[in-house]
């Protein structure tokens, strides 16, 4: 099995931040990341939207950027390696992502 991504310090930090997020907010946030993933020159959120998200999620700008960028990276790596959704889900759980968030990303990737 191909390792899709390494559990670097920044990935671990992003996982900690994602796990701390309200489970009801995470899917809505990540849906936008998935929608904009193919647009390399465009951010998932405008500057104004990111500022509002920082307040709503009680997160600093650098932490929000890390969460958004890491999620995009994980999905890009899974696509690059043509990973099966179950493999993605398993590897997300192995790096410590909460079950519900790993399952959500796995399901979104499967679409």
């Amino acid at each position: 099995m191909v390792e899709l991504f390494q559990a670097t310090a920044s990935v671990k930090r992003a996982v900690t931040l994602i796990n701390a997020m309200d489970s009801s907010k995470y899917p809505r946030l990540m849906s936008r990341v998935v929608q904009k993933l193919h647009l390399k020159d465009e951010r998932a959120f405008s500057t104004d939207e990111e500022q509002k998200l920082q307040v709503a999620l009680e997160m600093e700008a650098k932490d929000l950027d890390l969460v958004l960028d890491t999620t995009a990276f994980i999905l890009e790596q899974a696509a690059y390696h043509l990973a099966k959704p179950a493999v993605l889900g398993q590897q997300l759980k192995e790096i410590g992502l909460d079950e519900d968030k790993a399952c959500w990303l796995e399901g979104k990737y499967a679409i």
Side-chain angles (χ1 to χ4, degrees):
M1 175 171 59
V2 173
E3 188 174 299
L4 302 177
F5 39 84
Q6 294 182 343
T8 62
S10 63
V11 169
K12 289 178 184 179
R13 174 77 179 137
V15 166
T16 300
L17 292 166
I18 292 168
N19 286 343
M21 289 176 67
D22 183 328
S23 291
S24 67
K25 293 178 182 177
Y26 182 70
R28 291 184 293 199
L29 182 72
M30 293 306 112
S31 286
R32 177 75 77 87
V33 172
V34 171
Q35 289 172 353
K36 301 279 183 156
L37 198 57
H38 67 287
L39 303 172
K40 282 293 173 196
D41 296 332
E42 191 174 324
R43 300 265 310 151
F45 297 94
S46 69
T47 303
D48 186 49
E49 289 172 324
E50 284 190 16
Q51 290 172 346
K52 290 176 183 176
L53 282 171
Q54 291 169 32
V55 172
L57 299 173
E58 300 175 2
M59 201 177 278
E60 293 181 29
K62 64 182 173 94
D63 289 339
L64 179 61
D65 283 343
L66 181 62
V67 167
L68 297 174
D69 292 345
T70 301
T71 300
F73 172 75
I74 286 169
L75 292 171
E76 288 167 352
Q77 287 299 298
Y80 177 80
H81 291 288
L82 301 172
K84 293 183 179 180
V87 171
L88 174 62
Q90 176 189 354
Q91 289 192 19
L92 289 170
K93 292 172 198 166
E94 286 175 3
I95 62 168
L97 194 63
D98 286 347
E99 174 95 20
D100 60 332
K101 293 172 179 115
C103 288
W104 186 89
L105 271 173
E106 177 184 335
K108 201 64 166 170
Y109 173 71
I111 295 175

